[in-house]
Amino acid sequence: MTTGMRRIGVIMDPLAGISPRKDSTLAMMLAAQARGWQLVTFELGGLTLRDGVAMGRGHTVTVHDDERRWFSDMVPWSGPLADLDVLLMRKDPPFDMEYVHATYMLQRAEVAGALVVNAPAALRDINEKVATAWFPQCTPPTLISRTHAELRAFLTEHGRIVIKPLDGMGGRSVFVVHEQDPNRNVIMETLTDDQARYVMAQRYIPEIVDGDKRVLLIDGQPVDHLLARVPGGGDHRGNLVAGARGEGRPLGDRERWIASQVGPELARKGVIFAGLDVIGDYLTEINVTSPTGIRELDRQFGLDIAGELVAAIERRLEGV
């Protein structure tokens, strides 16, 4: 741990390849820098574990709120990760075994005194689909199975369902299936790899046409506005990368209630920044790996969400 200027290490995809106008990680870096923090960036391949000590090879950097020149002054940095006050894990999915291996290294830095956001154990334990099962009072009817007979019975029960893989991202391989769909069997066979892989099935929520609502949580508390991702014409997926339109809205009573159910448990597990996906009145996913939506909401409502997050991190460091 340092005693003077605070330093934050950010594990992320290559900084040169981000979209600065919408990148939430850049917003976090700008907010930390504005508070006098030194920034160090790492890519996943820069993390190593030597004799039980988590090490990193990265670069100190200065960031700018400029869509043409958003970083400068990169200088090589290397050393124990615990020499940094905070480690911000912002590597984009997929959540694969390389991601899991990185969390083991980050956990060694955590043991040595660094604050890791979000906590490595939570990143491993909170599968963004399966974790909704801990809050059944908030979710639509849901089945996780790899057995075709169970999936078909669930489809018969509800008439129209959504089926998706447990490790998917960005709306990939998300299917809406109705009981008379001639492709229903092949969809189940493909997604389950002929009953070798688990999938999630949920009752279809028709309110998806009004948007898949992203509710951001900072240390268990919801931001006062949400980002509704409204599907594009001819598509059922509320994902920005799948062509959905982002539309900011004030948080409603139902979203606040869902946040009150989920937020305290996430905070207890060391999740300081999370994104809940809500369709209609129902929680459908819990995002803890690399939630986004900061810059869109900041622009639409004059917010400083990343500033609130950095303030929450500072409170954690100070034990408040």
Side-chain angles (χ1 to χ4, degrees):
M1 281 285 204
T2 58
T3 57
M5 174 189 294
R6 281 176 169 160
R7 295 192 290 178
I8 184 168
V10 185
I11 299 96
M12 61 184 298
D13 291 316
L15 186 55
I18 68 171
S19 299
R21 179 173 172 79
K22 64 179 183 178
D23 194 89
S24 292
T25 304
L26 178 60
M28 297 174 189
M29 295 170 72
L30 286 164
Q33 181 177 269
R35 284 160 173 76
W37 290 52
Q38 183 184 49
L39 306 175
V40 185
T41 61
F42 303 94
E43 296 178 26
L44 215 59
L47 306 185
T48 58
L49 193 61
R50 175 63 189 266
D51 300 327
V53 178
M55 309 288 292
R57 299 184 312 277
H59 295 84
T60 61
V61 66
T62 300
V63 291
H64 313 280
D65 195 5
D66 185 330
E67 292 183 30
R68 292 175 296 180
R69 180 179 177 269
W70 57 91
F71 69 96
S72 62
D73 306 322
M74 296 190 79
V75 178
W77 184 97
S78 63
L81 292 178
D83 282 355
L84 305 171
D85 298 273
V86 177
L87 292 163
L88 191 62
M89 181 50 157
R90 291 290 299 178
K91 171 70 177 69
D92 284 343
F95 185 89
D96 54 16
M97 286 308 299
E98 287 301 290
Y99 192 107
V100 171
H101 295 155
T103 68
Y104 294 134
M105 299 184 195
L106 292 174
Q107 199 157 15
R108 292 304 302 164
E110 184 181 55
V111 168
L115 174 64
V116 184
V117 180
N118 290 315
L123 292 175
R124 290 195 301 272
D125 292 348
I126 303 175
N127 177 278
E128 301 191 341
K129 312 289 193 298
V130 181
T132 61
W134 272 253
F135 309 97
Q137 72 274 25
C138 302
T139 65
T142 301
L143 170 70
I144 294 175
S145 176
R146 61 187 197 179
T147 303
H148 294 165
E150 291 180 346
L151 292 166
R152 284 194 292 267
F154 189 77
L155 175 58
T156 298
E157 180 182 353
H158 296 289
R160 194 178 189 190
I161 62 175
V162 173
I163 305 180
K164 50 191 171 182
L166 296 183
D167 57 357
M169 55 172 282
R172 295 177 186 171
S173 301
V174 177
F175 289 87
V176 175
V177 185
H178 58 81
E179 196 172 3
Q180 303 306 317
D181 192 330
N183 295 308
R184 64 188 184 280
N185 289 337
V186 71
I187 290 170
M188 293 177 187
E189 291 164 7
T190 300
L191 290 184
T192 65
D193 192 18
D194 286 325
Q195 304 188 102
R197 295 174 64 87
Y198 285 106
V199 297
M200 170 180 274
Q202 291 177 323
R203 186 181 69 193
Y204 176 77
I205 307 168
E207 289 85 356
I208 183 60
V209 298
D210 296 322
D212 186 345
K213 297 172 285 189
R214 168 61 56 84
V215 178
L216 297 178
L217 300 180
I218 296 175
D219 214 1
Q221 297 299 312
V223 173
D224 285 335
H225 293 78
L226 59 81
L227 187 68
R229 296 156 299 169
V230 182
D235 203 325
H236 62 271
R237 296 171 297 173
N239 302 88
L240 298 179
V241 296
R245 181 184 80 255
E247 179 182 301
R249 300 173 187 168
L251 210 64
D253 290 342
R254 179 66 178 182
E255 291 84 35
R256 288 189 186 280
W257 178 80
I258 291 173
S260 75
Q261 300 295 298
V262 181
E265 180 64 13
L266 294 185
R268 188 184 69 80
K269 291 180 178 293
V271 175
I272 301 180
F273 188 62
L276 309 182
D277 288 350
V278 178
I279 301 175
D281 288 336
Y282 298 102
L283 173 71
T284 59
E285 292 188 18
I286 300 173
N287 297 272
V288 301
T289 51
S290 189
T292 61
I294 286 177
R295 306 220 81 182
E296 293 89 343
L297 288 173
D298 279 357
R299 275 194 299 272
Q300 291 186 46
F301 299 104
L303 307 177
D304 182 16
I305 296 170
E308 294 179 34
L309 173 61
V310 175
I313 290 172
E314 289 176 336
R315 289 193 294 272
R316 285 273 184 140
L317 287 174
E318 294 160 4
V320 178

